[in-house]
Amino acid sequence: MNAESLGVILALIVAFGSALAGAVTAWKRAPQDNITTLSARMGVLEEKVSDRDNVIDHLDRWQLAARTYIAQLRNTLADNGIEVPLPPADLEIAPRGSDH
């Protein structure tokens, strides 16, 4: 084997070793990168869930207040002899004296 061939073989071994070391480093670091990325995403999702919970709580309170107010208005109309129109089915309000 001449010196030139030996140099080429040595260069190939060094290049292969460097590539292998880079792959091993990336392989070892990948799980930590995934954990960090997933942790950040989880924080964002938890914040979104909290925001949606707040909106849902607000809408629940609003719906309860609106239903109470509508019931009071319907009762006042009925007590004064004014015929109360049937509410839309989507409101799920049973008419006064109904079996529902």
Side-chain angles (χ1 to χ4, degrees), residues 2-74:
N2 62 19
E4 198 172 293
S5 297
L6 189 59
V8 170
I9 292 173
L10 186 58
L12 285 174
I13 291 172
V14 169
F16 180 74
S18 295
L20 184 61
V24 168
T25 301
W27 182 268
K28 286 182 179 180
R29 194 179 68 195
Q32 184 58 41
D33 289 348
N34 286 339
I35 290 170
T36 303
T37 301
L38 292 174
S39 261
R41 286 183 62 195
M42 187 170 166
V44 169
L45 292 174
E46 285 174 343
E47 186 176 326
K48 285 183 179 182
V49 167
S50 178
D51 290 345
R52 287 186 184 156
D53 284 346
N54 291 337
V55 169
I56 289 169
D57 288 344
H58 170 75
L59 292 174
D60 282 344
R61 287 190 306 274
W62 187 92
Q63 182 184 34
L64 181 60
R67 285 179 179 268
T68 301
Y69 183 67
I70 290 169
Q72 290 171 346
L73 291 176
R74 289 173 53 82

Side-chain angles (χ1 to χ4, degrees), residues 69-86 96:
Y69 183 67
I70 290 169
Q72 290 171 346
L73 291 176
R74 289 173 53 82
N75 291 338
T76 300
L77 289 171
D79 290 344
N80 289 309
I82 301 170
E83 188 171 333
V84 179
L86 290 176
R96 195 178 216 187

